[in-house]
């Protein structure tokens, strides 16, 4: 299985709440750049999920400018403080070969650390508009291998 972890683009620093923050113009442009790079890898995505936060939705929308047929499901389990282990269990039950997740930190960095290292104690930081491709033969902690990362 291939899991693509994509952190939202650069967001405005101030808004009414963290939940309400939107992407900056730079964040939108960087995400489009990464989407173009991602397309060169010719992914065959079975499923795409995104956080319900506006900046994740805007990041997904930027991807759809490159992958016009890509449809996203909203999944509140992948919000910033989501439960990595519960999401890994859910992914195992999706029955897909390639999954794209558009989300936030600390969730995505924790997910990457658990997938690859089996623990959140390793610091596997994912920056804004960075996409990381992880290959897993088994959806379990420590069973993943990073194949590549794309940056703006």
């Amino acid at each position: 299985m291939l899991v693509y972890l994509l952190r939202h683009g650069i967001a405005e620093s101030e808004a009414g709440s963290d939940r309400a923050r939107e992407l900056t113009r730079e964040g939108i442009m960087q995400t489009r750049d990464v989407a173009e790079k991602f397309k060169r890898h010719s992914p065959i995505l079975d499923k795409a999920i995104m956080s319900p936060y506006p900046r994740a939705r805007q990041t997904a929308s930027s991807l759809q400018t490159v992958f016009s047929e890509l449809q996203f499901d909203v999944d509140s389990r992948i919000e910033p403080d989501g439960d990595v282990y519960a999401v890994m269990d859910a992914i195992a039950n999706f029955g897909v070969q390639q999954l794209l997740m558009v989300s936030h930190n600390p969730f995505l960095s924790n997910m990457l650390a658990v997938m690859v290292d089996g623990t959140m104690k390793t610091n596997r930081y994912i920056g804004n508009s960075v996409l990381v491709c992880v290959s897993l033969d088994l959806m379990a902690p420590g069973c993943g291998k990073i194949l590549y990362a794309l940056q703006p």
Side-chain angles (χ1 to χ4, degrees), residues 23-66:
L23 295 184
T24 63
R25 179 168 169 65
E26 181 181 9
I28 292 168
M29 299 310 291
Q30 287 184 346
T31 299
R32 286 185 183 161
D33 179 56
V34 167
E36 290 289 344
K37 291 175 182 177
F38 185 38
K39 188 170 187 165
R40 292 183 212 134
H41 288 270
S42 302
I44 302 171
L45 300 168
D46 300 310
K47 186 171 184 68
I49 59 176
M50 67 180 169
S51 156
Y53 286 27
R55 59 191 183 271
R57 289 177 181 269
Q58 290 170 313
T59 299
S61 180
S62 290
L63 277 168
Q64 288 172 316
T65 63
V66 176

Side-chain angles (χ1 to χ4, degrees), residues 80 84 105-115 119-120 122 124:
V84 168
N105 276 340
F107 176 79
L108 283 179
S109 292
N110 289 339
M111 175 67 84
L112 181 60
V114 170
M115 285 179 161
T119 178
M120 286 186 230
T122 59
R124 295 239 180 216

Side-chain angles (χ1 to χ4, degrees), residues 84-103:
V84 168
Y85 296 101
V87 171
M88 287 183 72
D89 288 343
I91 292 170
N93 293 319
F94 285 164
V96 299
Q97 290 302 308
Q98 293 192 36
L99 170 70
L100 170 63
M101 285 194 280
V102 176
S103 187

